[in-house]
Amino acid sequence: MEESGKNCIIFYGSQTGTAEDYASRLAKEGKSRFGLETMVADLEDYDFDNLDAIPSDKVVMFVLATYGEGEPTDNAVDFTEFITAENPSFSLDNDPPLGNLNYVAFGLGNNTYEHYNAMVRNINKALQRLGAHRIGEAGEGDDGAGTMEEDFLAWKEPMWKALAEKMGLEEREAVYEPIFGITEREGLTRDSLEVYLGEPNKMHLDGTPKGPFNAHNPYIAPIEKSYELFNVKDRNCLHMEIDISGSNLSYQTGDHIAVWPTNAGEEVDRFLDIFGLAEKRHNVISVKALEPTAKVPFPTPTTYDAIARYHMEICAPVSRQFLSTLAAFAPDDESKAEMTKLGNDKDYFHSKVNAHYLNIARLLAIVSKGKKWTNVPFSALIEGITKLQPRYYSISSSSLEQPKKISITAVVESQELPGRGDPFRGVATNYLLALKEKQNGDPNPNPFGLTYEITGPRNRYDGIHVPVHVRHSNFKLPSDPTKPIIMVGPGTGVAPFRGFVRERRKMVENGQDVGKTILFFGCRRSTEDFMYEKEWEEAKQVLGDKFEIVTAFSREGPKKVYVQHRLKERAKEVNELLQQKAYFYVCGDAANMAREVNAALAQILSAERGIPEAKGEEIVKQMRQANQYQEDVW
Ligand code: FAD
């Protein structure tokens, strides 16, 4: 900070990119509105033992997402361990250790999880304990209620006020200053070897990708086979087998695989078109950070086409704050007024934008009635649109059975929305659907009219490949295979349990003894979307009465039946299995199902053991703490 003359550092702990995006937005706003000299920093890249050396005329901001069961994001693990330790060892001998540190904190969480915003709460507590001074409130955004963006916007205004007061900052008229400089590279074309056409890094550009494969470096994996688990009108569900034998990747049953998607051609066209970039889409540009601490989020030289296709979430929800920035570059006064209104009025914004799942290009075309937004600096787009994120999938194979082949079970994201011509289509799952169609013989797949650059940059994904990496999770079978397990996984929530059942099946084939294995599965109809139906029968052949699947077909009877109802019908057995120290697993929908199942289990315990319901809830909590109750929900 000293070397680059900075007085504000914004650390982020981010898993899916939102916290990173908020950190960049704070940096930008701090600079343009208050003249703060800001820098954004990945928590992973810093040594924390000198946090105590930051003087009191500077400020540190923490933007921290909570992941899974109250855990830090991957890049914040070391920091969390360090700062929450009983006696973190700092570089100086201050008393209290962080007595000079001024900080600001915002957390990103989801209230449907047990440990809501645990990260920001724990870090805040630790910093306070070490004597640091918080400016403003520690904000909390709630993805569960769908109010993350609004919570962030509502938190930051009073925070800026408190910060301006504390640091004696004068607010000024915010003027847009680009963070990135764009240079057209006349001497290069997209055929030049040094031009990135979507390759994630230099090794991929050179055609020599090497491990370790991780969140910065995907493995371009062959898809061995792919098919649909069911195919009823407008609903597609994919099973894919991904071959990792050519890599040093490994996985354990219950881990996650991340798929690196590409945007649909139609959306790339729409995006480039509205910003007047369609004609020069293949021109080569270099992007440079105009200040030393900013990082260009993709490798360059590259093309506009490659950036929109491989590196930006051009289809994602639009940020209200970003609209205020874009208003200054509107093609006419009417569009400018509309953008300003959308940026300032949250209810208006919601009804016009969010409710229709508009992405940035669709929205701008509506606002300007088709006029192009050619005044928008490309830097503003790099700053305002998040980096395209890999999507996670619960691995549905068993590493005991097939250590070098990972399977995915994914439902294709598609939603009909009123007031929108075509349905909303998810980025990654429709790309996977196109890959499946290609693999099954269609030379030019276009699911729902969407086309993809399926063969990847420089055709390196040809032969049906998909870029992936593996993320290890804590969602694991008991180490003692004779322990009973109860699994609750409706819909695609069944994914990891296919892996669990196959693992136990393999164990029995290997002559091992396994405990009772009971799966609660739910879907609409036995004849419509009963995934892996045959496999469960085969598992039964091997596992005998050790395995049972209990089904809830929600649309077959006069009343809707869900997994939690079936669980209650089996209350006596569930309770007995838990008394035998069964592990209890839930996977799938975080918003409703996981919560209902948690409540149902507490009620079962209360009824079967003759204890108050609050005590039942307490037992479930203890089970979670002891890892006897595990969730893999999204
Ligand atoms: P996206 O394009 O990312 O859209 C997803 C949702 O985002 C939309 O439904 C919508 O609610 C919102 N959204 C996107 N764009 C807009 C917009 N412009 N305006 C408003 N809202 C918008 N899925 C599975 O099918 N199987 C699994 O086994 C599985 N396991 C998972 C495990 C983990 C740990 C996690 C975190 C997720 C898992 N998921 C799984 C979900 C998966 O990662 C993807 O989120 C899902 O497949 C949708 O991806 P997509 O790119 O197709 O959709």
Side-chain angles (χ1 to χ4, degrees), residues 309-324:
R309 199 179 292 279
Y310 291 99
H311 299 296
M312 280 184 178
E313 287 280 359
I314 58 170
C315 295
V318 179
S319 128
R320 185 156 69 84
Q321 193 180 357
F322 186 42
L323 297 192
S324 302

Side-chain angles (χ1 to χ4, degrees), residues 330-405:
D332 54 39
D333 288 346
E334 208 181 314
S335 308
K336 181 173 180 172
E338 177 70 357
M339 288 293 271
T340 310
K341 181 167 182 203
L342 286 166
N344 291 335
D345 182 338
K346 94 175 185 203
D347 296 329
Y348 186 62
F349 172 80
H350 181 80
S351 70
K352 290 277 175 191
V353 185
N354 271 357
H356 309 292
Y357 281 34
L358 294 182
N359 58 37
I360 189 70
R362 285 174 186 246
L363 172 66
L364 295 186
I366 293 172
V367 168
S368 69
K369 305 194 174 68
K371 265 194 208 157
K372 301 210 191 310
W373 293 62
T374 49
N375 297 328
V376 179
F378 196 65
S379 177
L381 300 181
I382 305 175
E383 295 156 39
I385 299 174
T386 17
K387 201 157 70 178
L388 188 57
Q389 294 295 323
R391 280 21 179 203
Y392 289 104
Y393 295 91
S394 304
I395 292 177
S396 59
S397 50
S398 148
S399 57
L400 180 68
E401 184 186 33
Q402 45 177 65
K404 284 293 180 182
K405 233 171 21 186

Side-chain angles (χ1 to χ4, degrees), residues 67 256 315-317 354 357-359 391-394 409-411 413 415 424 426-429 492 495 632 634:
Y67 196 63
H256 300 135
C315 295
N354 271 357
Y357 281 34
L358 294 182
N359 58 37
R391 280 21 179 203
Y392 289 104
Y393 295 91
S394 304
T409 307
V411 70
E413 182 72 34
Q415 290 186 49
F424 166 83
V427 174
T429 46
T492 44
D632 181 21
W634 59 83

Side-chain angles (χ1 to χ4, degrees), residues 102-316:
N102 292 314
Y103 75 99
V104 158
F106 184 79
L108 296 86
N110 184 319
N111 77 10
T112 56
Y113 287 75
E114 166 89 7
H115 302 277
Y116 176 54
N117 261 310
M119 255 307 268
V120 74
R121 292 181 185 181
N122 293 340
I123 300 301
N124 186 40
K125 222 185 281 168
L127 291 170
Q128 298 272 309
R129 190 172 55 83
L130 295 163
H133 306 281
R134 194 186 64 237
I135 299 169
E137 293 296 315
E140 293 186 355
D142 185 3
D143 205 25
T147 55
M148 182 68 81
E149 171 82 8
E150 291 305 333
D151 294 337
F152 175 66
L153 297 185
W155 161 80
K156 73 182 177 53
E157 279 318 308
M159 180 280 289
W160 285 128
K161 207 162 157 249
L163 184 68
E165 208 164 284
K166 171 92 180 170
M167 295 181 74
L169 307 170
E170 288 281 332
E171 180 161 4
R172 55 190 196 184
E173 178 82 21
V175 270
Y176 175 75
E177 282 175 58
I179 293 186
F180 303 104
I182 318 291
T183 328
E184 298 254 353
R185 301 286 302 270
E186 310 261 303
L188 296 175
T189 72
R190 64 178 164 144
D191 297 323
S192 312
L193 291 180
E194 67 264 51
V195 175
Y196 287 84
L197 299 181
E199 292 89 348
N201 58 40
K202 181 82 164 66
M203 288 186 293
H204 283 267
L205 179 71
D206 294 343
T208 53
K210 274 199 306 281
F213 296 107
N214 53 36
H216 308 288
N217 184 33
Y219 173 58
I220 312 297
I223 300 176
E224 196 185 280
K225 67 178 173 197
S226 50
Y227 52 86
E228 294 198 40
L229 288 164
F230 58 83
N231 186 354
V232 286
K233 194 178 164 291
D234 294 336
R235 286 178 79 210
N236 302 71
C237 188
L238 300 168
H239 178 91
M240 293 189 135
E241 298 273 338
I242 294 167
D243 180 0
I244 54 166
S245 60
S247 73
N248 56 0
L249 283 173
S250 65
Y251 79 103
Q252 280 185 339
T253 310
D255 283 343
H256 300 135
I257 183 166
V259 168
W260 294 47
T262 64
N263 283 308
E266 289 63 25
E267 293 296 346
V268 174
D269 294 348
R270 193 194 305 276
F271 178 86
L272 294 174
D273 188 54
I274 197 72
F275 293 111
L277 297 168
E279 304 229 311
K280 50 180 193 173
R281 65 194 301 157
H282 296 305
N283 287 11
V284 177
I285 54 169
S286 280
V287 181
K288 289 223 164 58
L290 296 176
E291 53 155 302
T293 57
K295 239 173 34 199
V296 184
F298 42 77
T300 84
T302 181
T303 65
Y304 293 108
D305 185 284
I307 297 171
R309 199 179 292 279
Y310 291 99
H311 299 296
M312 280 184 178
E313 287 280 359
I314 58 170
C315 295

